[in-house]
Amino acid sequence: MDLADLTPDALTLLGRAAYIQLIIFENLSTAVAAAPSAESKDTLGRVAAAALARQNGLRLEIERHGAEPGAAMQPFMAEIDAYQRATQGADWFEMLVSCHVTAGFLDNFFARLAAGLPAEAANRLKAVYATDAASELLAKEIRAAIEEQPQLSSRLAMWGRRLVGDTMLIARASLASSSNLVSDEARIEPVFTELIAAHTRRMDSLGLTA
Amino acid sequence: MDLADLTPDALTLLGRAAYIQLIIFENLSTAVAAAPSAESKDTLGRVAAAALARQNGLRLEIERHGAEPGAAMQPFMAEIDAYQRATQGADWFEMLVSCHVTAGFLDNFFARLAAGLPAEAANRLKAVYATDAASELLAKEIRAAIEEQPQLSSRLAMWGRRLVGDTMLIARASLASSSNLVSDEARIEPVFTELIAAHTRRMDSLGLTA
């Protein structure tokens, strides 16, 4: 179960991964700004710091590959900004679920994809994605919100399904393709099955139906 | 030239300082989101990470004093949120100047105020405020913008004057007062003279008239 020749070249992968990590950070910092209490702000600030630490790991890896982080990310800006707009959420609760669900899925996906790079880079990126994303803090915040307003559940469950659809599209757009689309599909499918299973567990742990 | 008995008790000082640092971070992250290029986003992300690292130092100090960071910050939220709204800036350029000018002034101020705490806490906070705020990255971004559009100078200079006024008010509100307002004033004045001199140098280094 690996993505082997569907792994894009290192700088394409890193540029996308780093820009997506910036977007994950931006979403979290929007949530920091919208937080209803100093305590929530404080918690979300810690999650945002974790996202920025990962982003810094990715930008350092871009520099190790001899490129400027800004230049490496720029080609993917329009596409990923559009994804961001579509997945921002209409209120504080949807915003939190977006942060948790999209970052969880995309971090899994890019960690997996990075494993297909040459060994040294792959190992460094493994370490980057192994750092604590502080996602448990976010999950706790969401569970507390749902506990307080149980009627949120069905709306947030639906929002989660919408998110995973858009997120799968942006993940698939990050794959290279070979000349044989049928064999590509055979290779992609089990990986996405696994990513979706992880997504389902993530939603379960929030008390939401995937 | 110290603020001695105008230093509030440790948790009041820390709660304010930590919440202000969160606001500095929020302003930077709004600038990350508004950045016109991936390169600017990347640069501002690094400045935001530096602000969050300081904020983390302050929250740890709150925990060392036996309090919860959220609870310690909460009492200052309304006042500081109002300050934030007044100093956000109307566009990308004003936003950058706000981030640079308000963080520069307030970091100086709180570093100075923290020196009045008992020695151990004072030393730890000295280390927190001695970390690199990455403000040179921000200054570079502003200088580049002004170089490209020299007609921005007078508007941004005026904006800087407005900012320093509002920022002095929030700084003064952070001081305790003794029973003798005249002697308080005599103590405060030289400190603010020094902070304003630092502000003037900061504006100068941007090529703006303070």
Side-chain angles (χ1 to χ4, degrees):
Chain A
M1 278 222 247
D2 71 68
L3 290 161
D5 51 342
L6 300 177
T7 304
D9 71 281
L11 275 173
T12 301
L13 189 162
L14 290 166
R16 264 185 205 275
Y19 195 74
I20 280 185
Q21 199 65 43
L22 256 186
I23 291 305
I24 289 171
F25 159 72
E26 275 186 37
N27 289 343
L28 284 163
S29 59
T30 306
V32 172
S37 71
E39 194 186 339
S40 288
K41 261 192 209 292
D42 183 62
T43 302
L44 289 163
R46 291 163 72 191
V47 187
L52 266 183
R54 286 184 173 202
Q55 207 270 336
N56 198 47
L58 294 167
R59 60 189 306 290
L60 290 176
E61 192 61 30
I62 291 174
E63 288 177 343
R64 264 200 205 94
H65 280 76
E68 283 297 319
M73 294 190 287
Q74 188 71 39
F76 312 109
M77 198 171 172
E79 175 190 347
I80 297 169
D81 282 354
Y83 164 71
Q84 185 192 25
R85 280 190 296 276
T87 56
Q88 246 162 359
D91 64 8
W92 161 248
F93 307 106
E94 290 189 2
M95 206 183 275
L96 290 184
V97 171
S98 290
C99 288
H100 189 53
V101 160
T102 63
F105 193 102
L106 289 167
D107 281 354
N108 279 358
F109 172 75
F110 278 103
R112 169 67 73 103
L113 203 53
L117 291 178
E120 274 194 39
N123 280 333
R124 283 190 301 260
L125 289 172
K126 195 175 171 182
V128 168
Y129 282 110
T131 59
D132 184 7
S135 56
E136 193 40 44
L137 289 176
L138 199 49
K140 244 171 138 170
E141 195 79 24
I142 299 170
R143 279 194 293 265
I146 294 174
E147 209 164 290
E148 214 175 289
Q149 298 185 49
Q151 75 280 17
L152 283 171
S153 292
S154 63
R155 175 159 66 92
L156 294 180
M158 197 153 31
W159 177 239
R161 287 191 281 278
R162 154 94 188 272
L163 287 174
V164 76
D166 285 353
T167 305
M168 279 171 66
L169 286 179
I170 202 93
R172 291 204 56 144
S174 306
L175 294 170
S177 55
S178 73
S179 54
N180 185 334
L181 296 180
V182 175
S183 89
D184 285 1
E185 209 42 53
R187 183 155 263 160
I188 293 170
E189 213 236 276
V191 172
F192 273 76
T193 301
E194 204 186 291
L195 291 170
I196 291 168
H199 166 76
T200 302
R201 286 193 297 277
R202 201 173 296 119
M203 293 291 280
D204 278 351
S205 93
L206 300 176
L208 297 174
T209 317
Chain B
M1 277 221 247
D2 71 69
L3 290 161
D5 51 343
L6 300 176
T7 304
D9 72 281
L11 276 174
T12 300
L13 190 161
L14 289 167
R16 264 185 204 275
Y19 196 74
I20 281 186
Q21 199 64 44
L22 255 186
I23 291 305
I24 289 172
F25 160 72
E26 274 186 37
N27 289 343
L28 284 164
S29 60
T30 306
V32 172
S37 70
E39 195 185 339
S40 289
K41 260 191 209 293
D42 183 62
T43 302
L44 289 163
R46 290 163 71 191
V47 188
L52 267 184
R54 286 184 172 200
Q55 205 270 336
N56 198 47
L58 295 167
R59 59 190 307 290
L60 290 176
E61 192 62 30
I62 291 173
E63 289 177 342
R64 263 201 206 90
H65 281 75
E68 282 296 319
M73 296 190 286
Q74 188 72 38
F76 312 110
M77 198 171 171
E79 175 190 346
I80 297 170
D81 282 354
Y83 164 71
Q84 185 192 26
R85 280 189 297 276
T87 55
Q88 244 163 1
D91 64 8
W92 162 248
F93 307 106
E94 291 188 2
M95 206 182 275
L96 290 184
V97 172
S98 290
C99 288
H100 189 53
V101 160
T102 62
F105 193 102
L106 290 167
D107 281 353
N108 279 358
F109 172 76
F110 279 103
R112 168 68 73 105
L113 203 53
L117 292 178
E120 273 193 41
N123 279 334
R124 283 190 300 260
L125 289 171
K126 196 174 171 185
V128 168
Y129 282 108
T131 59
D132 183 7
S135 55
E136 193 39 45
L137 288 176
L138 199 49
K140 243 170 139 170
E141 194 80 23
I142 298 170
R143 280 195 291 267
I146 295 174
E147 208 163 290
E148 214 175 291
Q149 299 185 48
Q151 75 279 17
L152 284 170
S153 294
S154 63
R155 174 158 68 91
L156 294 181
M158 197 155 26
W159 178 239
R161 287 192 282 277
R162 154 97 187 270
L163 287 174
V164 78
D166 285 352
T167 305
M168 280 171 65
L169 287 179
I170 201 93
R172 290 203 57 142
S174 307
L175 293 171
S177 54
S178 73
S179 54
N180 185 336
L181 295 179
V182 176
S183 89
D184 284 1
E185 209 42 54
R187 182 155 264 163
I188 293 171
E189 213 235 277
V191 173
F192 273 76
T193 301
E194 204 186 291
L195 292 170
I196 291 167
H199 166 75
T200 304
R201 286 193 297 277
R202 202 173 295 118
M203 293 291 279
D204 277 351
S205 93
L206 300 176
L208 298 174
T209 317

